[in-house]
């Protein structure tokens, strides 16, 4: 009876996941293998194009750099917040996650104002004499990465604060009392125990930045096209549904591959993490 009740409780969620997630993805991927030219013809076409490979490599680079920077900034910020007393901690968490209350498009438009030739940053650089004429900071890979980090660092902080708060202070004190230096304590105590939060945060940031559309479109444009904007172009501009499905399938496979690699790293750092 208990077994039946358990299945009865999980069945609606399982059906929803299968119908709304697994089946559409499976249909999308299956469409790429139905070409008359050959089973793998769409993938051969994709990887034989230098432009398409460049888009894929750029997307991977931006996603990985964004993840690395967000991990570093988010971990440091979350660690500082976790050490604060109750009221100050609550205020800092609210301040850290406040940008999440604003839409992605609005936050991306804000960076257009900041990084534009007539924007705030250029005006400050010219007024202080650092540069004599406005810099071209928009529609570059750097502008996309900066905006992505701004978008995803709050998510990383939220993920890591709870994990760092759960690390018993006694373990850190014990490490110090046994003669371990702060750096050794970090790598041998704090980092392994924080690994689950780091992996979850890294997966969220990587998948979000790898599949992002609005930010690369607004701040990267055609010069810095990424997989999300390329997918939209193939589906909604040229109506190349097979090409769009191929891009989607490649993105799914690469995302799953990165998740598996991160999980393996987590097992090495902390066998109990996953």
């Amino acid at each position: 009876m208990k077994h039946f009740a358990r299945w009865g409780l999980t069945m609606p969620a399982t059906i929803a996941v299968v119908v709304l997630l697994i089946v559409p993805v499976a249909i999308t991927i299956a469409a790429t293998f139905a070409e008359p030219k050959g089973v793998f013809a769409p993938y051969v076409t994709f990887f034989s194009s230098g432009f398409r490979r460049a888009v894929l490599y750029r997307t991977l680079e931006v996603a990985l750099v964004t993840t690395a920077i967000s991990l570093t900034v988010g971990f440091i910020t979350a660690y500082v917040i976790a050490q604060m007393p109750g009221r100050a901690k609550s205020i800092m968490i609210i301040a850290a996650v406040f940008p999440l209350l604003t839409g992605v498009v609005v936050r991306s438009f804000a960076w257009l104002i900041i990084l534009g030739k007539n924007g705030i940053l250029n005006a400050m650089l010219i007024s202080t004499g650092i540069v004599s004429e406005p810099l071209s900071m928009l529609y570059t890979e750097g502008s996309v990465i900066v905006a992505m980090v701004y978008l995803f660092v709050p998510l990383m902080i939220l993920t890591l604060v709870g994990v760092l708060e759960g690390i018993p202070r006694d373990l850190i004190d014990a490490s110090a009392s046994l003669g371990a230096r702060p750096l050794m304590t970090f790598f041998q105590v704090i980092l392994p125990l924080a690994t689950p939060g780091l992996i979850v945060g890294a997966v969220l940031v990587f998948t979000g930045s790898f599949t992002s559309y609005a930010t690369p479109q607004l701040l990267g444009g055609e010069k810095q096209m990424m997989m999300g904007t390329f997918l939209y172009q193939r589906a909604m501009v040229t109506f190349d549904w097979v090409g769009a499905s191929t891009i989607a399938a490649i993105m799914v496979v690469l995302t799953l591959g990165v998740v598996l690699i991160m999980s393996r790293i987590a097992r090495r750092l902390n066998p109990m993490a996953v």
Side-chain angles (χ1 to χ4, degrees):
M1 187 67 182
K2 290 182 179 180
H3 183 73
F4 179 77
R6 190 184 305 118
W7 273 103
L9 290 173
T10 60
M11 188 61 67
T14 304
I15 293 173
V17 170
V18 170
V19 173
L20 300 178
L21 180 62
I22 296 177
V23 171
V25 171
I27 292 173
T28 300
I29 295 175
T32 64
F33 297 106
E35 277 291 284
K37 296 180 181 179
V39 177
F40 297 103
Y43 299 96
V44 173
T45 301
F46 182 93
F47 287 105
S48 62
S49 169
F51 170 76
R52 297 181 184 186
R53 291 198 306 270
V55 172
L56 176 59
Y57 297 153
R58 183 185 303 118
T59 306
L60 275 172
E61 181 182 359
V62 169
L64 291 173
V65 172
T66 300
T67 302
I69 297 175
S70 299
L71 269 176
T72 304
V73 176
F75 187 89
I76 294 172
T77 307
Y79 185 78
V80 172
I81 293 175
Q83 306 305 312
M84 290 182 173
R87 188 168 184 179
K89 183 188 299 182
S90 300
I91 294 173
M92 290 303 297
I93 291 176
I94 293 172
V97 303
F98 185 77
L100 294 176
L101 301 178
T102 308
V104 173
V105 176
V106 175
R107 285 183 281 168
S108 299
F109 264 113
W111 283 102
L112 286 174
I113 299 172
I114 295 172
L115 300 177
K117 283 196 172 182
N118 298 318
I120 298 171
L121 185 56
N122 266 317
M124 184 182 69
L125 293 174
I126 292 173
S127 64
T128 54
I130 297 176
V131 297
S132 58
E133 57 183 20
L135 300 176
S136 297
M137 291 180 282
L138 286 178
Y139 309 117
T140 62
E141 193 172 300
S143 65
V144 177
I145 291 173
V146 168
M148 291 272 202
V149 170
Y150 171 72
L151 290 175
F152 292 111
V153 161
L155 195 61
M156 185 70 73
I157 294 173
L158 269 182
T159 304
L160 290 174
V161 165
V163 175
L164 293 172
E165 283 180 335
I167 298 177
R169 183 67 192 181
D170 294 343
L171 292 178
I172 300 174
D173 294 339
S175 176
S177 66
L178 292 172
R181 295 180 179 180
L183 193 61
M184 186 180 297
T185 300
F186 172 78
F187 282 107
Q188 295 189 359
V189 178
I190 297 175
L191 185 60
L193 292 176
T195 296
L198 289 171
I199 296 302
V200 171
V203 168
L204 290 175
V205 174
F206 178 83
T207 54
S209 55
F210 187 71
T211 59
S212 179
Y213 167 75
T215 302
Q217 179 66 26
L218 291 172
L219 297 172
E222 297 294 327
K223 293 182 179 179
Q224 301 296 327
M225 182 177 291
M226 292 175 58
M227 291 291 278
T229 52
F230 191 34
L231 172 61
Y232 178 85
Q233 182 190 76
R234 303 307 297 179
M236 306 305 295
V237 178
T238 62
F239 300 104
D240 180 9
W241 298 108
V242 175
S245 298
T246 304
I247 296 170
I250 293 171
M251 293 174 73
V252 169
V253 171
L254 284 175
T255 302
L256 291 176
V258 170
V259 171
L260 292 175
I261 292 172
M262 290 180 178
S263 298
R264 185 175 293 272
I265 294 172
R267 290 192 188 97
R268 285 183 175 272
L269 292 174
N270 182 359
M272 300 300 293
V274 289

